[in-house]
Amino acid sequence: MQSATTPAATNAMLVVTGTEFLLSMVEARWAARNGDGRNMESQLRSQQELGRIEQQLERLQSLPGQDEDVRGQIQQLHDRIHDLRAQVSAHFSAWQKAELARNPQRPLTLEYVERIFTNWSEIHGDRGFADDHAMVCGMARFHGHEVVVMGHQKARDTKQNVYRNWGMTNPEGYRKALRVMKIAEKFKRPIFTFVDTVGAYPGLSAEERGQAEAIARNLREMARLQVPIITTITGEGGSGGALAIAVADRVLMMENAIYSVISPESCAAIMWRDATKKELAAQALRITAADLAEFGCIDDIVPEPKGGAHTDHEAAAALLDAALQKHFGELVKMPTPELVASRYNKFRNMAQFLRSE
C-alpha cells in the first residue's frame, strides 16, 4: 500500500518545479545572448533574477517536513545557480567592475569596522584646522590585538553624503590620519586602512590648505613607520587620495574593487576628449584586482559573496576578516627593520617592466 502524499510535500514539489522552470528561463536567456558577455544590463538582470530564485529556495529549505527527494532537487538547483552565477560574473568587463565598485549598497568602512573589530573608539581632528568626516580614524581590537584603524567614509543618502563630502578627503583628513598613525607607531599598534574614494577633494579650499603637501607627507611618513600596515581597497581606489593611506606592507583588494591613477571617465575625456569612451579607458587603465595582482601592485585578492559585496555585508566582512588575519599573522612575526625595508623595496620595485633578452 502506497503512503499518501501530504499537502506540504505536494506544495514543496510544486514550488521546486516552478523554481526550476524560472531557472531554466534564465539559463536559456543567458545561453542565447549571442556570445556578448559585455551587456551589463543582461548580466545585472541575470544576477538579480538568480538572487530572487535563491531567496525562494532558501525560504523553501526552511519549511519543515521535506523528504530526501525534495532536498536533493533543491541542492541541484543551488548548484545550477552557483554555476550560472560564476559564468555571468566571469564576463564582467573592467568598466562593469567599476560600476560594481561604485554600487551605493557596498559595505562602507565603518560597517567593516563594526563587523571585524571590537572596542572601536574614534579619534577626531588634525590638531591644526578641523575634523574631516570623510576620513574616520580610531583605536580598536582585532582578535584581541590592540590596533589602529582608519579609512575613507562614504554614505548612502544625500544628507550623509554632504556630511562625509562624498568620501573625498580634505588635507585635514590626511593630517588626521597621519597624526593617528604616529600614535600607532608610538604605542606599537599595527595599522589597518580601508580605501574607498573617487579621489582627494579637488576644491579650491583644499588646494589653499595644502592638499598636495598633505598627501606627499603621508606617502613619505608611511614608508618608514615602524609598525605593520595592512591596506584594503574595498571599493574605489582613486589616485593620490587613495595612495595617501595605502603605502602598506600588504595591499589587499576586494574582488570587485578598482584601483587607478584616474577615473575611467576622466581618462577618456583627456585621451579622446570624449567621456563616453569610459569603457575603453577602463580596459586600457587595467584597474581591476586581477590586473593589479599581475603587475605586483597588490598582494592579495579578497573574494566577495555571490553577486558582489553589496549583496551580503556579513559574508563580505567574514571573507575580508579571514584575509586580514592571514596577513596580520605573517607581519607581526617580522622584525621591525626587516618590515620597513621590505615595505620600501616593495614600492621601489613596482611597475618595472623592462626585460633583458
Side-chain angles (χ1 to χ4, degrees), residues 104 108 110-111 122 132-136 152-168:
L108 306 174
L110 287 177
E111 292 170 337
E122 191 168 352
D132 187 349
H133 305 295
M135 177 70 70
V136 292
H152 303 99
Q153 180 67 18
K154 292 182 177 179
R156 293 201 174 89
D157 59 60
T158 302
K159 183 178 179 180
Q160 277 294 307
N161 266 316
V162 171
Y163 180 71
R164 299 291 183 183
N165 199 33
W166 281 266
M168 294 184 292

Side-chain angles (χ1 to χ4, degrees), residues 210-287:
Q211 183 73 285
E213 184 273 341
I215 292 174
R217 185 179 295 272
N218 276 28
L219 302 182
R220 185 189 70 182
E221 295 301 322
M222 287 189 78
R224 54 195 188 189
L225 284 174
Q226 305 289 302
V227 291
I229 308 170
I230 301 177
T231 290
T232 306
I233 294 98
T234 59
E236 291 183 274
S239 194
L243 192 58
I245 60 168
V247 180
D249 301 293
R250 295 285 191 278
V251 180
L252 317 185
M253 196 167 169
M254 300 297 287
E255 181 183 356
N256 293 316
I258 59 172
Y259 195 21
S260 175
V261 70
I262 192 172
S263 70
E265 297 93 330
S266 298
C267 175
I270 293 170
M271 296 299 299
W272 296 283
R273 300 184 184 276
D274 183 0
T276 63
K277 293 185 183 286
K278 57 195 177 186
E279 295 184 32
L280 180 60
Q283 183 179 356
L285 284 167
R286 306 293 293 274
I287 60 178

Side-chain angles (χ1 to χ4, degrees), residues 8-64:
T10 301
N11 289 337
M13 287 299 297
L14 288 172
V15 173
V16 168
T17 303
T19 303
E20 185 172 13
F21 175 71
L22 292 175
L23 180 56
S24 298
M25 290 180 63
V26 178
E27 290 172 330
R29 186 165 54 250
W30 180 253
R33 72 194 189 285
N34 296 323
D36 183 13
R38 297 171 296 176
N39 189 326
M40 185 66 170
E41 183 179 350
S42 172
Q43 288 170 298
L44 291 179
R45 183 182 175 189
S46 297
Q47 291 278 22
Q48 291 167 356
E49 290 176 342
L50 289 174
R52 287 194 290 269
I53 293 171
E54 203 159 36
Q55 288 175 1
Q56 188 170 334
L57 285 176
E58 287 170 358
R59 286 195 295 270
L60 180 59
Q61 277 182 307
S62 65
L63 297 176

Side-chain angles (χ1 to χ4, degrees), residues 78-123:
H78 272 303
D79 293 340
R80 285 169 61 184
I81 290 171
H82 180 271
D83 292 341
L84 184 56
R85 197 190 291 275
Q87 291 177 38
V88 174
S89 299
H91 285 85
F92 282 142
S93 67
W95 171 247
Q96 290 166 347
K97 292 269 189 178
E99 290 190 313
L100 285 173
R102 294 170 176 174
N103 189 298
Q105 298 307 314
R106 282 182 77 84
L108 306 174
T109 293
L110 287 177
E111 292 170 337
Y112 279 119
V113 170
E114 177 186 349
R115 290 169 171 81
I116 296 174
F117 302 90
T118 57
N119 299 95
W120 165 252
S121 178
E122 191 168 352
I123 298 173

Side-chain angles (χ1 to χ4, degrees), residues 90 106 143 176 226 328 343 353:
R106 282 182 77 84
H143 296 279
K176 174 172 70 171
Q226 305 289 302
F328 180 81
R343 185 190 312 148
F353 303 117

